Amino acid sequence: NAGVTQTPKFQVLKTGQSMTLQCAQDMNHEYMSWYRQDPGMGLRLIHYSVGAGITDQGEVPNGYNVSRSTTEDFPLRLLSAAPSQTSVYFCASSYSWESGGPTDTQYFGPGTRLTVL
Amino acid sequence: GEDVEQSLFLSVREGDSSVINCTYTDSSSTYLYWYKQEPGAGLQLLTYIFSNMDMKQDQRLTVLLNKKDKHLSLRIADTQTGDSAIYFCAVQGGGADGLTFGKGTHLIIQP
């Protein structure tokens, strides 16, 4: 298993440009999520999905769109990049999300470091 | 919503024990996690504890949970230079809205 993979590793954008951060997992996990990590802020949830075709907003969803057409993939779209979106983005997945058991444990990808000029 | 607090820095001497502390607010939290992040890398799951447990030991790692005080700690025995990283406490509240993370504790190892 490759686990959770993310591409690209690094990206520089100009203000107003759009792009898609890719996330894929090969563990047949139902739950997938996107977080952003900013210095001194910890990780904050952007969007999440509990299965193909189902997505919902997290704590900081503005400026981002997601879709989940397959179980494996959960791309994050920046529609019009802003300097405030400069951050490190992590994708995570888990087998379940409300079992109250260890299958809720989330596994993280290596991250995408995004700079918006 | 849930709030998770950690100290930002901890400095220890190589070979000593490190104790990283975390407090949280939501008493209905089910699972509590410790993740490790090395420089430039993603988050690595270190260990977790279920809310009905008081302690969990895994080799050099000991997790203690005081549910009454909503206090979680991670003890690393015989701290080595390879333990230098940021350690995140994270709390699973149940439901689909993911984990709530603390801001992370930078563990600094002195020779």
Side-chain angles (χ1 to χ4, degrees):
Chain A
N1 284 352
V4 181
T5 58
Q6 292 184 239
T7 56
K9 283 191 168 58
F10 301 93
Q11 183 70 48
V12 179
L13 293 177
K14 293 181 180 176
T15 297
Q17 285 185 314
S18 63
M19 80 157 295
T20 300
L21 308 185
Q22 301 292 344
C23 174
Q25 52 86 16
D26 61 358
M27 299 175 282
N28 200 31
H29 283 177
E30 286 296 322
Y31 183 90
M32 296 185 75
S33 55
W34 278 101
Y35 294 85
R36 61 177 288 174
Q37 182 183 25
D38 301 296
M41 297 291 290
L43 279 81
R44 293 179 292 170
L45 182 67
I46 304 171
H47 284 285
Y48 64 90
S49 169
V50 299
I54 307 169
T55 64
D56 207 345
Q57 297 180 348
E59 181 186 353
V60 288
N62 291 343
Y64 307 95
N65 274 358
V66 291
S67 59
R68 184 98 180 268
S69 56
T70 66
T71 300
E72 294 79 18
D73 300 297
F74 190 43
L76 178 73
R77 295 185 189 84
L78 281 71
L79 304 174
S80 178
S84 60
Q85 294 177 304
T86 293
S87 188
V88 181
Y89 291 85
F90 289 101
C91 179
S93 73
S94 62
Y95 183 77
S96 62
W97 67 93
E98 58 184 4
S99 72
T103 52
D104 291 354
T105 299
Q106 291 195 42
Y107 295 91
F108 283 77
T112 294
R113 282 150 184 80
L114 176 68
T115 301
V116 183
L117 303 175
Chain B
E2 175 80 78
D3 191 24
V4 179
E5 297 286 341
Q6 300 178 241
S7 299
L8 287 183
F9 295 96
L10 176 66
S11 179
V12 298
R13 298 179 70 89
E14 190 175 359
D16 287 352
S17 291
S18 306
V19 180
I20 303 170
N21 294 302
C22 170
T23 58
Y24 60 98
T25 55
D26 187 354
S27 58
S28 66
S29 301
T30 53
Y31 272 85
L32 301 100
Y33 300 87
W34 286 103
Y35 285 88
K36 176 183 180 182
Q37 185 181 34
E38 294 178 358
L43 275 76
Q44 172 195 355
L45 177 67
L46 274 183
T47 187
Y48 62 85
I49 188 167
F50 189 46
S51 58
N52 69 352
M53 297 169 66
D54 298 325
M55 185 182 86
K56 180 179 180 181
Q57 186 149 6
D58 184 2
Q59 299 183 333
R60 291 193 297 124
L61 304 178
T62 303
V63 179
L64 294 177
L65 176 60
N66 182 327
K67 205 173 173 189
K68 174 176 168 289
D69 294 338
K70 302 191 190 76
H71 182 267
L72 181 72
S73 68
L74 173 70
R75 178 177 180 268
I76 305 172
D78 187 24
T79 308
Q80 302 298 310
T81 54
D83 295 323
S84 180
I86 304 174
Y87 291 82
F88 289 94
C89 172
V91 176
Q92 177 84 45
D97 53 354
L99 297 167
T100 301
F101 283 84
K103 292 183 171 58
T105 299
H106 293 245
L107 180 60
I108 300 162
I109 315 301
Q110 299 172 8

